[in-house]
Amino acid sequence: MIDPKLLRTDPDAVARNLARRGVDLDVRALKALEDQRKPWAVEVDRLRAERNANAKAVGMAKGRGEDITTLIARGEDLTTQLARAEAELESVQRELEQWQLGLPNLLHESVPDGRDESANVEVRRWGEPRRFDFAPRDHVEIGERLGGLDFEAAARVSGARFAVMRAQVARLHRALAQFMLDLHTREHGYTEVYVPYLVRPEALTGTGQLPKFEADLFAVTGGPHPYFLIPTAEVPVTNLVRGEDLAAETLPLKYVAHTPCFRSEAGAAGKDTRGMIRNHQFDKVELVQIVRPDDSYAALEELTAHAEKVLERLAIPFRRVALSAGDIGFGSAKTYDLEVWLPSQQRYREISSCSNYEAFQARRMQARWRNPASGKPEPVHTLNGSGLAVGRTLVAVLENYQQADGSVSVPAALEPWMSGLMRLST
């Protein structure tokens, strides 16, 4: 959520920033709502103060033995007026809050301008794409030849955009997740957490998926409460600090979690229908940091480097891209995408997004820290990134390590998690 104070005091500056995203902020509508809110807020404060003064007068009059009938009646009238004013104020505030929940985050000044992904800026590349002396196959053909990927069985069970993994391919998928977890906990200082896969709506509101992106989620019906399947571990992990006032010395908090992720892909009809690039269910190792505001952009560089280290250890070529204003996510102030090289497509494809949300999520979650400089509670900054998407990493390994005979070499970094298996073969 954008700072409400900033929206009230400088809506034109907010409008200019949001215009970089192609979002048109209706400043007049905002001011109209604020014009409705302010008089009711003043009236609530006035009535509350008058009621308190009247209650004090009742006590003093009672102590003097005076007749308090008129004061009691006045107190009852003030209580009725206050309840009516509070209801009006709450109604306007609720409308204003729902309106604010639909606004995306403000962009950091370093975010490149542009309307779409064509304006994204490459920051760096790592590794050289392998030159094959045969026509490289895609991961679907490789996996099916190995007897390790079965999309027909998945379709019989669940429909399109699902995969069944078997034998060596399933083992490689598991090894990748364990490798990532161990790397991030042992070398990068993250604490591993196991979190629920079902969350309540307020958790998704806190991280920004609701109310705007409900169509992208899977709702669960029939339980005691409304639940949604998590679209990413970002949701339950970031919400661990929901409603918390964190001591300064506890920051930064660095968490890593391996979970399945569930997405309806409502906006991806016809895109990447073949294979495992865009499925309804996939695994991801997620990195989350909760930091002091002054540290968040250094934390973004650190977190992104941690995700990159996975690909470096696997020796798979990738590039880092700074997303443009028109391509960046709803809640992010700045995002780097990591794109991995896929030989079958002869191009780089996204495998991780690493984002700084600044205080956007923290305001929605009421997650704060006590700033020693001011002594007051302030919103923390939250960051997250895939470290990495396990299924897409599997795709990258299968394609980049494929051999002419249809086998797949196991990256050296994964051998300790594969019990010595060095090659996938039939």
Side-chain angles (χ1 to χ4, degrees), residues 267-286:
K271 296 180 181 178
D272 296 310
T273 56
R274 177 175 169 83
M276 296 179 61
I277 297 296
R278 197 182 297 273
N279 282 357
H280 290 311
Q281 175 185 315
F282 59 95
D283 278 34
K284 191 147 66 80
V285 171
E286 187 77 1

Side-chain angles (χ1 to χ4, degrees), residues 372-390:
S374 66
K376 297 179 180 179
E378 301 174 5
V380 293
H381 279 196
T382 63
L383 304 95
N384 64 70
S386 306
L388 301 165
V390 183

Side-chain angles (χ1 to χ4, degrees), residues 19-330:
R20 297 182 62 202
R21 291 178 174 267
V23 174
D24 182 17
L25 176 64
D26 191 338
V27 175
R28 288 186 179 181
L30 172 62
K31 289 181 176 178
L33 281 172
E34 181 59 24
D35 288 344
Q36 292 180 51
R37 185 199 68 82
K38 190 177 293 184
W40 284 117
V42 171
E43 180 70 356
V44 165
D45 288 343
R46 184 190 69 79
L47 289 168
R48 191 172 287 141
E50 188 175 348
R51 187 183 65 171
N52 292 341
N54 186 79
K56 187 176 180 180
V58 169
M60 294 174 65
K62 198 172 185 180
R64 294 192 297 265
E66 298 173 358
D67 182 10
I68 59 173
T69 303
T70 301
L71 289 172
I72 291 291
R74 177 59 178 161
E76 291 174 349
D77 182 55
L78 287 169
T79 297
T80 300
Q81 291 184 56
L82 178 60
R84 186 183 306 117
E86 285 177 334
E88 292 288 351
L89 177 60
E90 182 181 351
S91 176
V92 176
Q93 286 180 329
R94 187 163 50 247
E95 184 180 355
L96 187 58
E97 181 178 290
Q98 287 301 308
W99 191 78
Q100 291 172 347
L101 286 174
L103 294 177
N105 200 1
L106 299 181
L107 297 173
H108 189 263
E109 60 186 11
S110 64
V111 172
D113 287 324
R115 294 184 177 181
D116 54 34
E117 63 181 12
S118 65
N120 294 346
V121 175
E122 183 176 306
V123 177
R124 65 181 290 249
R125 289 193 183 196
W126 187 94
E128 288 293 328
R130 174 184 165 194
R131 294 185 177 181
F132 290 83
D133 56 7
F134 61 94
R137 307 174 182 92
D138 74 353
H139 70 281
V140 176
E141 185 177 353
I142 297 167
E144 289 178 342
R145 285 188 174 207
L146 291 171
L149 285 179
D150 191 338
F151 297 98
E152 290 185 4
R156 291 195 299 272
V157 172
S158 302
R161 295 190 186 272
F162 289 93
V164 168
M165 287 176 274
R166 291 193 174 100
Q168 297 173 342
V169 172
R171 185 173 191 169
L172 179 61
H173 184 267
R174 173 164 53 93
L176 282 166
Q178 292 175 334
F179 160 67
M180 294 175 196
L181 286 171
D182 287 346
L183 174 64
H184 296 314
T185 55
R186 294 174 181 175
E187 299 187 28
H188 298 155
Y190 291 82
T191 298
E192 183 176 354
V193 290
Y194 175 84
V195 290
Y197 303 162
L198 291 171
V199 294
R200 293 191 178 186
E202 51 265 36
L204 289 150
T205 300
T207 45
Q209 285 80 13
L210 287 178
K212 189 174 180 63
F213 301 105
E214 185 170 358
D216 295 327
L217 304 170
F218 283 109
V220 178
T221 60
H225 305 286
Y227 285 117
F228 289 88
L229 290 166
I230 60 171
T232 166
E234 166 202 339
V235 177
V237 176
T238 308
N239 272 276
L240 292 177
V241 297
R242 179 185 184 86
E244 294 289 314
D245 287 325
L246 303 167
E249 59 270 19
T250 66
L251 301 177
L253 296 172
K254 298 167 64 174
Y255 296 122
V256 60
H258 169 218
T259 68
C261 306
F262 305 91
R263 299 184 185 177
S264 73
E265 298 292 350
K271 296 180 181 178
D272 296 310
T273 56
R274 177 175 169 83
M276 296 179 61
I277 297 296
R278 197 182 297 273
N279 282 357
H280 290 311
Q281 175 185 315
F282 59 95
D283 278 34
K284 191 147 66 80
V285 171
E286 187 77 1
L287 305 175
V288 171
Q289 292 199 25
I290 314 295
V291 305
R292 302 182 186 202
D294 288 347
D295 299 334
S296 67
Y297 279 94
L300 176 61
E301 298 297 325
E302 177 189 70
L303 185 149
T304 306
H306 291 160
E308 289 176 334
K309 186 60 68 176
V310 176
L311 294 169
E312 291 173 7
R313 292 287 178 86
L314 295 173
I316 299 175
F318 68 90
R319 67 175 188 165
R320 183 198 292 200
V321 174
L323 297 193
S324 72
D327 194 37
I328 199 168
F330 175 80

Side-chain angles (χ1 to χ4, degrees), residues 321-343:
V321 174
L323 297 193
S324 72
D327 194 37
I328 199 168
F330 175 80
S332 176
K334 182 174 182 177
T335 295
Y336 291 123
D337 269 8
L338 302 184
E339 298 178 348
V340 68
W341 179 256
L342 294 186

